[in-house]
Amino acid sequence: MAAVQRCRTGPGGAALGVWRALSTAAPLVEVNARGSAIAELRLQREPVNSLNTGMLKAITDAVRGLEADPEVDAIIVRSGTPNVFCAGLDFLELYKPQSENQLREFWSAFQDLFLTLYPSRLATIAAVEGHAPAAGCLLALACDYRVGARGPYAMGFNEVQFGLRVPPWFVPVIQSTVGTRQTERLLQLGSLVSFEEAKELGMLDEVCDAEQLMDVAEARAKEWCFPTSTLRECRHVTKAYLRQPNMEVLLRDREADTDLFVQTALAPALQKALGLYIRSLEANKKGGGAAKAASGSA
């Protein structure tokens, strides 16, 4: 599990409470200052930022650390690997788990991340630098504002293409973003859409050239950082009013949601499908290990 260490200076020695996630190996997430009151949260679990239990907990810990810092008003969530924002849940967590408790810990970590990021007091900006399927797309939609890099990238919810059920608590988040009809189409077909279409649907707020992405994201973060604590509190309260009903879908029965996930993950048909998919990735991977090859998206 990643530990969290606080660093007190930003660019040019400016005072800013910045939290850096550390681990015994390479850090799963890294947090640095980006201008006054803005932190950059960089996802860097190679090769595609797939979300295993450790990654989910590292992101949650980083967000909570930044929320506790009164000098931080906004975060920009971005990828540290090229051409992918986040590939979704790591299929290796689902395939042949050591125990049911392992699945429960994994899903609880995913729930915790959503329940931390989605209502955060911080202004949250997603700088989507590449593909964002399934849980990777939800990670972006949990933010207040989303900027995509122009390129041959796709985002959306393709769970049904792998024989997975879309978690019920995904639905109101997507529905409040793109509307009921488009939610039905995207979820039932398991569709991934281009960034240009994502912008038309409202999944992205704007698309810009890749070399401009972080500058645009920082500019938007500044727009969401009001100059006084009173105004920032008003913005946060308004956000809570708007997002609480969507959160209630999960909050009213987390245990039942976890039970549903475990039941789905352990189904023989899904385990067989996951095995075939992972083996196909391993067969196509040259010079990489099984863990890299099996980083899937869900």
Side-chain angles (χ1 to χ4, degrees):
M1 180 187 299
V4 178
Q5 176 181 340
R6 192 172 187 177
C7 305
R8 291 301 306 171
T9 59
L16 178 63
V18 177
W19 294 74
R20 183 181 300 276
L22 304 172
S23 68
T24 54
L28 297 174
V29 301
E30 183 175 290
V31 180
N32 294 297
R34 190 174 180 95
S36 177
I38 300 172
E40 175 189 297
L41 192 160
R42 186 190 298 256
L43 312 178
Q44 47 186 41
R45 182 178 182 236
E46 294 184 352
V48 291
N49 292 325
S50 56
L51 301 170
N52 65 358
T53 302
M55 183 67 161
L56 291 165
K57 290 182 177 181
I59 300 171
T60 301
D61 288 347
V63 174
R64 287 174 176 168
L66 290 165
E67 282 191 319
D69 191 324
E71 296 177 12
V72 179
D73 298 327
I75 55 174
I76 299 171
V77 182
R78 65 171 301 189
S79 172
T81 58
N83 300 317
V84 62
F85 175 68
C86 172
L89 301 181
D90 191 338
F91 280 161
L92 289 178
E93 292 278 12
L94 281 67
Y95 184 56
K96 293 185 177 180
Q98 295 181 357
S99 67
E100 182 179 308
N101 285 338
Q102 176 187 328
L103 287 173
R104 291 185 177 278
E105 181 184 8
F106 170 65
W107 198 247
S108 178
F110 186 30
Q111 294 170 333
D112 285 343
L113 173 55
F114 172 74
L115 293 173
T116 299
L117 181 62
Y118 191 61
S120 175
R121 73 158 183 89
L122 301 169
T124 52
I125 312 296
V128 188
E129 302 171 80
H131 298 294
C137 188
L138 186 78
L139 184 63
L141 263 57
C143 294
D144 296 312
Y145 195 90
R146 297 166 293 279
V147 186
R150 189 170 286 111
Y153 307 128
M155 63 192 302
F157 296 89
N158 59 341
E159 283 84 352
V160 299
Q161 299 287 348
F162 294 94
L164 290 166
R165 300 170 182 173
V166 177
W169 47 278
F170 279 33
V171 175
V173 177
I174 304 166
Q175 199 169 25
S176 63
T177 303
V178 304
T180 299
R181 180 66 192 116
Q182 293 302 330
T183 298
E184 290 181 346
R185 178 177 72 88
L186 292 171
L187 295 189
Q188 291 188 51
L189 296 178
S191 298
L192 298 178
V193 300
S194 69
F195 277 20
E196 293 299 334
E197 184 177 353
K199 181 178 180 296
E200 293 177 4
L201 293 172
M203 297 167 74
L204 292 173
D205 294 293
E206 61 182 299
V207 176
C208 66
D209 292 339
E211 58 269 22
Q212 299 174 332
L213 182 67
M214 289 309 298
D215 288 339
V216 172
E218 183 177 337
R220 300 299 170 261
K222 290 177 180 177
E223 291 173 1
W224 286 69
C225 289
F226 290 156
T228 69
S229 59
T230 299
L231 295 178
R232 289 192 293 273
E233 177 63 19
C234 287
R235 184 196 62 77
H236 179 221
V237 169
T238 302
K239 177 178 179 176
Y241 289 158
L242 292 168
R243 295 194 166 194
Q244 187 65 30
N246 292 345
M247 294 173 59
E248 287 296 333
V249 176
L250 174 57
L251 287 171
R252 64 179 171 234
D253 203 338
R254 284 186 63 170
E255 185 174 353
D257 179 67
T258 303
D259 289 342
L260 178 61
F261 167 74
V262 171
Q263 177 185 359
T264 301
L266 293 178
L270 179 59
Q271 285 293 313
K272 180 179 180 180
L274 288 175
L276 291 172
Y277 178 69
I278 290 171
R279 284 191 290 275
S280 72
L281 288 178
E282 292 172 344
N284 292 330
K285 186 72 176 178
K286 294 181 180 180
K292 278 191 174 182
S295 292
S297 58

